[in-house]
Amino acid sequence: MRVETTLVTAGLLAIGAAYLYKFCLSDEAKSKLKSAATSVKSSYDRISQIVEDAQGVTMKDESPLPNAQSTAAQWQALGF
């Protein structure tokens, strides 16, 4: 019941926002809204890139570590 209510509310809000955008905003307001959305997206992309650069890129090592190799050998010796 709670999920259904949430979905209906989200749907009504989306329809209301689309109606307001299409019929209630002037062309200037629509262009400003598009400009604001573009600005938010570019800011998000820049912040994501900064965070990714700060964290670095993790590369997977092609060869397993020595302890993983010895563990695999032990499992093979046990018959697995």
Side-chain angles (χ1 to χ4, degrees):
M1 184 74 167
R2 185 172 265 176
V3 173
E4 183 179 317
T5 304
T6 303
L7 289 175
V8 169
T9 303
L12 289 174
L13 286 174
I15 291 170
Y19 177 82
L20 286 174
Y21 180 82
K22 185 161 179 98
F23 298 111
C24 295
L25 292 180
S26 65
D27 290 336
E28 182 183 358
K30 288 178 184 178
S31 68
K32 295 285 184 183
L33 190 60
K34 288 178 184 177
S35 173
T38 303
S39 177
V40 168
K41 183 185 180 313
S42 67
S43 297
Y44 173 79
D45 290 340
R46 285 178 49 207
I47 290 171
S48 293
Q49 187 63 41
I50 290 170
V51 168
E52 185 178 306
D53 291 343
Q55 290 179 347
V57 177
T58 304
M59 296 184 68
K60 186 170 173 77
D61 190 13
E62 296 297 324
S63 62
L65 296 174
N67 60 342
Q69 290 173 345
S70 66
T71 303
Q74 290 172 357
W75 278 107
Q76 282 181 341
L78 291 173
F80 289 101

